[in-house]
Amino acid sequence: MLTYKAPLMDIKFLFEDVLKYYPHYEKFPEFEDATPDMVDAILQECAKFCENELLPINQSGDKEGCTFDKGEVRTPKGFKEAYQLYVEGGWQSLSHPVEHGGQGLPPSLGMAKSELMGTANWSWAMYPGLSHGAMNTVQAHGTDEQKEIYLTKLTEGTWTGTMCLTEPQCGTDLGQVKTKAQPNEDGTYDITGTKIFISAGEHDLTENIIHIVLARLPGAPEGTRGISLFIVPKMTVDAQGNCGENNNVACGSLEDKMGIKGSATAVLNFDKAKGVLIGPENKGLECMFTFMNTARVGTALQGVCASELSYQNALIYAKERLSMRSLTGKKKPELVADPIIVHPDVRRMLLTQKAFSEGGRAMIYYAAKLVDILETSKDEKEKKRADYRLGFITPILKAFLTEVGLESANHGVQVFGGHGYIKEWGMEQIVRDTRIATLYEGTTGIQALDLLGRKILLSRGKSLKSFTMEVLGFCKDKSMISSNPYKRQMNKFVWPLSKAVANWQQYSVRLAMKAKKDRDIVGSASVDYLMYSGYIVMAYFWAQMAQAAYEKLGGEVENRDFYRAKIKTAEFYFERLLPRTKSHAATMMADPKTLMQLDEELL
Amino acid sequence: MLTYKAPLMDIKFLFEDVLKYYPHYEKFPEFEDATPDMVDAILQECAKFCENELLPINQSGDKEGCTFDKGEVRTPKGFKEAYQLYVEGGWQSLSHPVEHGGQGLPPSLGMAKSELMGTANWSWAMYPGLSHGAMNTVQAHGTDEQKEIYLTKLTEGTWTGTMCLTEPQCGTDLGQVKTKAQPNEDGTYDITGTKIFISAGEHDLTENIIHIVLARLPGAPEGTRGISLFIVPKMTVDAQGNCGENNNVACGSLEDKMGIKGSATAVLNFDKAKGVLIGPENKGLECMFTFMNTARVGTALQGVCASELSYQNALIYAKERLSMRSLTGKKKPELVADPIIVHPDVRRMLLTQKAFSEGGRAMIYYAAKLVDILETSKDEKEKKRADYRLGFITPILKAFLTEVGLESANHGVQVFGGHGYIKEWGMEQIVRDTRIATLYEGTTGIQALDLLGRKILLSRGKSLKSFTMEVLGFCKDKSMISSNPYKRQMNKFVWPLSKAVANWQQYSVRLAMKAKKDRDIVGSASVDYLMYSGYIVMAYFWAQMAQAAYEKLGGEVENRDFYRAKIKTAEFYFERLLPRTKSHAATMMADPKTLMQLDEELL
């Protein structure tokens, strides 16, 4: 049976000591309620909800799955009740603007909430999670009337929302979308087509579901420049927001998947379903891009959630399971064997999990701070800077954290030995659940092309330079010039980090030069380049956590061991995980020829 | 739906051109039937059986799983019929000695058979596969009477066999085994205890199941030195080999697992079940070790099977699925988009799969040649040499090939994008099925300790030196001294291989020095050391395949593209996969302190 204890102390450490959320919150009058006491209280309540309501229906939800019968979808036992508690507790509205019933707390606090819920039960968390995409779309591009009708109910959680993009013939390549939107005389549209892989596309949690659908207007240009966005509710909605009749959105089937079985993945058939246009005609994809980064950071979170849940459970098992003796002599002579945590290789796996969970959390919470600015600041320049930085860091977060999250979940299985393969323990479920994370919301390959092709090469390295300036600024501040009292201790982090960042820049320049001659270098280097970048970015956050831990230990503080563990985990990261950059560097610089020279027929 | 075409040409290439099986077979009069024509005919028949009988029940077997009702186990639909065909076809007896009804063909041919069956349907293949363990035990340690009674039926396939080692409190640490053997006056023993994770422990394929059980005699020494081996049939057997009554071996339940669902994993309760001692008292573990290497190579095979099946299906999909355009310009302007095989990153994944499948197969078949010698040679010195080499290479094969097999299966899912996560396609099943491979038959961590602690350090590097001499001999022969006409082309493989082998030796010496001061280095370095070694060993086999391909292309030969593809895949391996040694080298040489310094409570 899986257990879970929300890592509130780790979160507090990031909020207060590493990422300095409170001075950041104070800059925005909207966030005046987000005081340390309030935030702690909210997260404690959230932790209780996650530990007591969501975790207990995680494994049972996997076992039971969603059922589909005569067009109706039933979520697993307990999902509906938990959702009602969630809505009653006001959790859906937590970090949404007050104008439409939100509580106006910072998006970054919402990210912490999402982490706890997603760790306790990712499948369940997808239902409210998908709503955010729909809410953001209506918020950003809806008319006042559309906001009035749809946003309030979505913010309450009375309804949920979905994003309907993928079709059988296309996922990544949305230019191939075929779903049609036929204008009616009353200004509405008849939407007709089939959408697949629609998460939370059909369920029994709420009376209505608001679909945001990509479709083509008659005579729209081919490809991505001819796609528009529509709001299509499952049940028709009148001007007062009351649900009416069935709107011809039929669930054709549910996908039978490797994992996230408690989350309903629907095939939706739109048969002249009534919809309204949202945003300008033929600009659907551009409208979606405005909050794509937020959605992708939300998916990156899955890697952290999987890693954290797997780590917590592997750690408990490693302390209990007795097998063999330590090679340096019996550690528990009174027992029949030593607990497996004495074995260096078990520790290697546990520490890898710990380093990825905590390092990944720091990366996500850093991005969440940018989302705060992006969604709240009135200063256009500041907003633009935040957007630019977020755009740079997002593909790294999405792809790197989901890849290492999957690795971490596999380590958790491995710590359990053969028992890890048995469903009862829940460890293999974490692997199955998180396997989707490197696929949806843009595969690792797509993120990597976005990073190297668009973010790095198109900007001529500006986005990278801007980020590395920040890192080098930190390094300089913590090592050479300043009067940082932890200078000596920080050198072991700051020096390799500076060196890694310098290499990162050099390699990027070399790749840019090569790409001028051979466009295939972009696709050939991209995934290794992304992973390479990810390890360096995570190193930056581990260095920051180490610095913050030294600062805490320099003062009067309780739980000194907690901060010592941060420093030692940072040491582990720098010695044992950062060196993975070596292989990625070698591979990303290799000639694309070895990939491209084999004819299709020879493969 | 998964498809599978047995890679007979690849196998023929290894048999004839790379590993030179036929001159090797000719050394043994026992193998006189194993002529090229006969071997080709057998493998063609085997391929038909695998493609037509085993593959079609692979996905359905996963879906249906095994069922357990009132102590009875039912295998999935079609499993029993396929097993009957298998027995009727004489497949079980193929490579077993003629004295007990075997056909006396080489074990290495049996390995090729196992590969085809395991690729088409690993879960099914486990039933006959597990018999081999029992057969080898009886063959090696049984009395003439035991062989007469049990071996003949096992060889026919009329009965199957199991290995009953693991108990709830111990898997790796067999010294903790508690199952008891109480001697009876008639020379039999009453076996009492619970065994778990017993593959093929209960099923409906045969009338009897012969369990080989580890248990303790009264007053036996504690730990591993007090364990004996017993033959315990499910149904009692009389001297004529007729089955009698139920022998008090009850299946308590089946495990609900992540994958290999068609394979029944049983909890077996022995309640005064009648057994006979096999081998000397208290020497049970030693008896088992005699064929542990063979069993582990058989498990290593699972990595190759998973990689091959996933590769074949990913390749087909990559040629069909249309998405986006090549960055170097449209490749199929007549289509709505290019097939994804044009994208370098998709090729990176496919080529990684291809390199692991074909490189892994070569490694396994090399080991199989050693098994031939070990099981057939009359020359004790030659046997000892083969055993020594096999003991060295086995942990590398088992751990490295199952780890990269899992990686490869995951690439297959990734090539399919979101569709890879859907059960219907079968790609995610390959991941689930092969996830067990790094766990059973000794986890990756255990293999790594065996390699570094036992095989390298205990032998003071002799086993490594002996293997690297072979590799360096190949390098020398193909580059400098000889009149090898492909010298110039081979340099790109031979030079990096020589360098890698030199580094391997140097690092090993350094690790040995360090281990004298700090025993924790062994566990701390072991897994990285094993993976490091695995990449170098595979490079050796890719270099050999390239050389053999050049030789073929130097003569008159059909299918020239086949040999060109081998060379280009070797180039890919050397440029893109061998560099992974860099990271493993850095990590394995790191101070164990970063793993050990955190107190348990701080983790």
Side-chain angles (χ1 to χ4, degrees), chain B residues 211-419:
Chain B
H211 304 291
I212 307 291
V213 184
L214 286 185
R216 286 184 185 285
L217 290 166
E222 282 194 9
T224 51
R225 286 169 307 167
I227 296 177
S228 308
L229 268 183
F230 298 86
I231 302 177
V232 187
K234 172 184 165 185
M235 313 297 287
T236 58
V237 177
D238 68 17
Q240 283 71 47
N242 300 311
C243 292
E245 63 198 355
N246 204 307
N247 188 25
N248 296 326
V249 184
C251 177
S253 63
L254 289 186
E255 299 289 357
D256 192 6
K257 310 184 297 294
M258 183 185 201
I260 50 166
K261 288 172 189 255
S263 169
T265 307
V267 174
L268 291 184
N269 299 313
F270 295 82
D271 183 15
K272 295 191 179 169
K274 289 273 176 299
V276 291
L277 182 71
I278 176 166
E281 289 186 3
N282 300 331
K283 302 278 182 200
L285 278 192
E286 287 160 56
C287 289
M288 295 231 345
F289 277 129
T290 52
F291 54 85
M292 196 180 62
N293 289 328
T294 328
R296 289 186 166 175
V297 174
T299 311
L301 192 57
Q302 191 175 3
V304 176
C305 293
S307 185
E308 175 71 27
L309 186 61
S310 182
Y311 171 60
Q312 288 197 14
N313 286 276
L315 181 60
I316 293 168
Y317 188 78
K319 289 178 180 177
E320 285 174 359
R321 177 75 175 179
L322 307 177
S323 185
M324 314 299 281
R325 290 296 184 183
S326 162
L327 288 181
T328 55
K330 292 183 185 182
K331 294 289 172 288
K332 303 265 181 186
E334 72 280 13
L335 299 176
V336 60
D338 286 331
I340 60 174
I341 199 167
V342 307
H343 304 307
D345 188 57
V346 172
R347 285 174 161 260
R348 178 186 64 86
M349 295 189 279
L350 291 171
L351 277 159
T352 302
Q353 294 191 293
K354 184 176 167 72
F356 285 150
S357 305
E358 297 172 14
R361 178 180 299 118
M363 287 164 73
I364 298 266
Y365 286 24
Y366 169 85
K369 210 172 152 184
L370 297 171
V371 175
D372 283 348
I373 298 169
L374 191 63
E375 296 192 358
T376 315
S377 175
K378 306 283 179 293
D379 177 344
E380 281 307 315
K381 250 180 144 174
E382 188 188 42
K383 263 175 108 125
K384 213 173 158 182
R385 270 202 309 273
D387 192 32
Y388 194 71
R389 175 59 49 81
L390 187 64
F392 170 72
I393 202 100
T394 293
I396 299 177
L397 261 57
K398 161 66 173 74
F400 176 73
L401 292 181
T402 57
E403 292 284 347
V404 302
L406 181 60
E407 178 191 326
S408 182
N410 270 304
H411 286 311
V413 168
Q414 200 70 18
V415 168
F416 273 69
H419 293 274

Side-chain angles (χ1 to χ4, degrees), chain A residues 403-420:
Chain A
E403 292 284 346
V404 301
L406 181 60
E407 178 191 326
S408 181
N410 270 305
H411 287 311
V413 168
Q414 201 69 19
V415 169
F416 274 69
H419 293 274

Side-chain angles (χ1 to χ4, degrees), chain B residues 163-204:
Chain B
M163 301 302 301
C164 298
L165 285 59
T166 302
E167 299 185 1
Q169 76 285 359
C170 66
T172 298
D173 189 3
L174 291 170
Q176 293 185 49
V177 156
K178 286 181 185 167
T179 296
K180 283 182 186 145
Q182 192 66 40
N184 297 316
E185 294 203 343
D186 63 355
T188 65
Y189 296 81
D190 281 354
I191 310 292
T192 303
T194 298
K195 296 287 181 179
I196 65 168
F197 296 169
I198 309 308
S199 299
E202 181 58 53
H203 58 72
D204 57 358

Side-chain angles (χ1 to χ4, degrees), chain A residues 134-155:
Chain A
M135 287 154 86
N136 285 334
T137 314
V138 179
Q139 176 77 34
H141 305 290
T143 62
D144 285 343
E145 195 195 341
Q146 288 169 347
K147 286 183 192 171
E148 185 56 36
I149 297 179
Y150 299 106
L151 202 50
T152 318
K153 296 280 177 92
L154 287 168
T155 304

Side-chain angles (χ1 to χ4, degrees), chain A residues 63 167-173 176 196-197 255-261 311 315 319 321-324 327-328 332 336-337 339 341-342 344-345 347-348 350-351 354 403 406 410 413-414 417-419 421-424 428 431-433 435-436 438-439 443-445 449 518-520 522-524 526-528 561 564-565 568-569 571-572 575-576 579-583 586-587 590-592 594-603, chain B residues 63 167-173 176 196-197 255-261 311 315 319 321-324 327-328 332 336-337 339 341-342 344-345 347-348 350-351 354 403 406 410 413-414 417-419 421-424 428 431-433 435-436 438-439 443-445 449 518-520 522-524 526-528 561 564-565 568-569 571-572 575-576 579-583 586-587 590-592 594-603:
Chain A
K63 197 168 179 183
E167 299 184 2
Q169 76 286 0
C170 67
T172 298
D173 190 2
Q176 293 185 48
I196 65 167
F197 297 168
E255 299 290 356
D256 192 7
K257 310 184 299 293
M258 182 186 203
I260 53 166
K261 288 173 189 253
Y311 171 59
L315 182 60
K319 289 178 180 178
R321 176 75 176 179
L322 307 177
S323 185
M324 313 300 280
L327 288 181
T328 55
K332 304 266 181 186
V336 60
I341 199 168
V342 308
D345 188 57
R347 286 176 160 259
R348 178 187 64 85
L350 292 171
L351 276 160
K354 184 176 167 70
E403 292 284 346
L406 181 60
N410 270 305
V413 168
Q414 201 69 19
H419 293 274
Y421 199 65
I422 306 299
K423 292 208 162 188
E424 194 183 346
E428 61 83 40
V431 174
R432 286 187 291 105
D433 284 351
R435 183 65 189 83
I436 187 63
T438 69
L439 298 166
T443 62
T444 299
L449 279 181
D518 182 357
R519 286 303 288 170
D520 274 331
V522 182
S524 134
S526 54
V527 167
D528 279 297
D561 279 350
R564 287 195 192 109
K568 288 174 179 177
T569 309
E571 287 174 10
F572 167 83
E575 283 237 7
R576 302 242 165 201
R580 293 186 183 180
T581 46
K582 286 179 197 282
S583 301
T587 313
D591 195 323
T594 45
L595 293 181
M596 306 314 289
Q597 66 180 356
L598 245 90
D599 289 342
E600 250 184 73
E601 293 67 37
L602 301 196
L603 263 159
Chain B
K63 197 170 178 182
E167 299 185 1
Q169 76 285 359
C170 66
T172 298
D173 189 3
Q176 293 185 49
I196 65 168
F197 296 169
E255 299 289 357
D256 192 6
K257 310 184 297 294
M258 183 185 201
I260 50 166
K261 288 172 189 255
Y311 171 60
L315 181 60
K319 289 178 180 177
R321 177 75 175 179
L322 307 177
S323 185
M324 314 299 281
L327 288 181
T328 55
K332 303 265 181 186
V336 60
I341 199 167
V342 307
D345 188 57
R347 285 174 161 260
R348 178 186 64 86
L350 291 171
L351 277 159
K354 184 176 167 72
E403 292 284 347
L406 181 60
N410 270 304
V413 168
Q414 200 70 18
H419 293 274
Y421 199 66
I422 307 298
K423 292 208 161 185
E424 193 184 347
E428 61 82 41
V431 174
R432 287 188 291 105
D433 284 352
R435 183 64 190 86
I436 188 64
T438 70
L439 298 166
T443 62
T444 298
L449 279 181
D518 181 357
R519 287 302 289 167
D520 275 330
V522 182
S524 133
S526 55
V527 167
D528 279 296
D561 278 350
R564 288 195 192 109
K568 288 175 179 175
T569 309
E571 287 174 9
F572 167 82
E575 284 237 7
R576 302 244 164 199
R580 294 187 182 180
T581 45
K582 287 179 196 282
S583 300
T587 313
D591 195 323
T594 46
L595 293 182
M596 307 313 289
Q597 65 180 356
L598 244 89
D599 290 343
E600 248 184 75
E601 293 67 35
L602 300 196
L603 263 159

